[in-house]
Amino acid sequence: MPIPSRAALADHLVRSRIAGDVATPRDNNLSHYRKLANGDRHYWLGLELGDRWTDEQDVLAVMAERCGVNDDPSHRQGQDTIDPELTIDALERMAARLRKAADAGERVLFATGHPGGLLDVHRQTAAALRAAGCEIVRIPGGLFADEGMVFQFADVAMLERGATLWHTHSPAPMAAILDCFEHQGTPLPDLVVADHGWAGCAGQRGLDAIGYADCNDPALFIAEAEGTLQVAVPLDDHVTDPRFYDPMTAYLLHAAGLDTTAV
């Protein structure tokens, strides 16, 4: 995979609709912002937001600043946007944290609630960190959450239910992993790379956490604004072809100075 320039990556993100005019409808975004502000914990993604975000307009303002959605509260229908420049800025912040992990030989845990879109992004990143000397954390066997099994495939923790990799926003699978580590006396990861409630739960537990978030998942951007999450990369987290993420992953790993020949 050739390493795209910043301009070429921005163009690719827009053409593939990872950013730019994304598929997520505006009314869906606003509904999620409202539900977060109304205290619906499903939309808190494992974070404890207290009463700090009870105004959906404050949530919209954060999303406009950090994700690039339309900041006009009167825009209520049609499509919404993710600013590709904000996506690349966040990828570069993520790359800096990955470089720190590689330099220190950190123990890193990968997890995804969006295996249909982001599994291979995480897998390639895990392979590059292992090649650089990091330990990719293995999760214990026999873990269950949300009526499914928490297991690891291609170095990435996921939820499996009925022989199917499960799309989940829940923090419960990550909580099951971290609780088991603590019960067994296993050191917690130095870094968690994840998305959805997997990332939110890790950040809320005080771990260094970085991850990806769609424009209808405001909690992780709020967590970054508050310092609970170190990086939230804005993107559409399930585009029509997971191979569309390959140029983005190549750019990320190159920016981190990681060896991509092993991935």
Side-chain angles (χ1 to χ4, degrees):
M1 170 62 64
I3 309 302
S5 67
R6 183 180 176 111
L9 179 60
D11 180 67
H12 170 76
L13 294 174
V14 171
R15 285 188 290 105
S16 61
R17 300 186 74 184
I18 294 172
D21 294 326
V22 294
T24 311
R26 175 66 168 192
D27 58 327
N28 180 264
N29 280 350
L30 295 180
S31 172
H32 287 203
Y33 304 168
R34 184 179 314 111
K35 289 173 180 176
L36 179 147
N38 288 339
D40 187 332
R41 285 181 171 266
H42 174 78
Y43 298 93
W44 287 16
L45 302 182
L47 296 154
E48 293 298 329
L49 303 180
D51 59 359
R52 301 186 299 279
W53 298 92
T54 57
D55 186 337
E56 65 182 277
Q57 299 307 317
D58 291 339
V59 179
L60 175 60
V62 168
M63 294 303 293
E65 175 189 14
R66 293 183 176 267
C67 188
V69 303
N70 192 315
D71 64 357
D72 182 0
S74 68
H75 174 50
R76 310 201 67 81
Q77 299 292 330
Q79 296 309 117
D80 215 332
T81 55
I82 294 175
D83 185 340
E85 296 299 329
L86 292 179
T87 301
I88 298 172
D89 287 346
L91 286 170
E92 291 176 352
R93 295 196 302 275
M94 177 179 278
R97 185 60 186 86
L98 294 175
R99 182 68 255 165
K100 177 182 176 182
D103 288 343
E106 290 184 342
R107 301 175 67 253
V108 186
L109 173 63
F110 286 83
T112 186
H114 233 305
L118 298 179
L119 171 57
D120 209 43
V121 176
H122 290 302
R123 181 200 64 81
Q124 291 183 59
T125 309
L129 282 179
R130 175 181 282 112
C134 287
E135 176 187 346
I136 306 305
V137 174
R138 295 181 61 86
I139 71 169
L143 297 181
F144 293 88
D146 294 333
E147 301 180 348
M149 183 172 68
V150 185
F151 81 117
Q152 206 162 20
F153 174 73
D155 286 329
V156 185
M158 289 168 284
L159 183 68
E160 185 268 349
R161 200 188 288 177
T164 300
L165 303 181
W166 206 254
H167 172 214
T168 178
H169 289 71
S170 173
M174 179 61 80
I177 294 171
L178 299 181
D179 288 346
C180 187
F181 283 156
E182 292 178 343
H183 177 73
Q184 293 179 344
T186 302
L188 295 176
D190 300 306
L191 176 66
V192 173
V193 185
D195 48 68
H196 285 179
W198 303 80
C201 176
Q204 187 62 45
R205 294 284 188 102
L207 300 178
D208 282 8
I210 57 179
Y212 303 92
D214 208 328
C215 56
N216 62 356
D217 292 327
L220 295 189
F221 296 102
I222 287 173
E224 184 185 29
E226 293 192 329
T228 310
L229 197 74
Q230 294 191 337
V231 182
V233 177
L235 47 66
D236 186 318
D237 53 17
H238 197 150
V239 293
T240 56
D241 186 344
R243 294 274 68 84
F244 289 163
Y245 296 107
D246 286 350
M248 180 194 80
T249 308
Y251 184 94
L252 170 70
L253 298 181
H254 179 72
L258 297 174
D259 177 14
T260 60
T261 61
V263 303

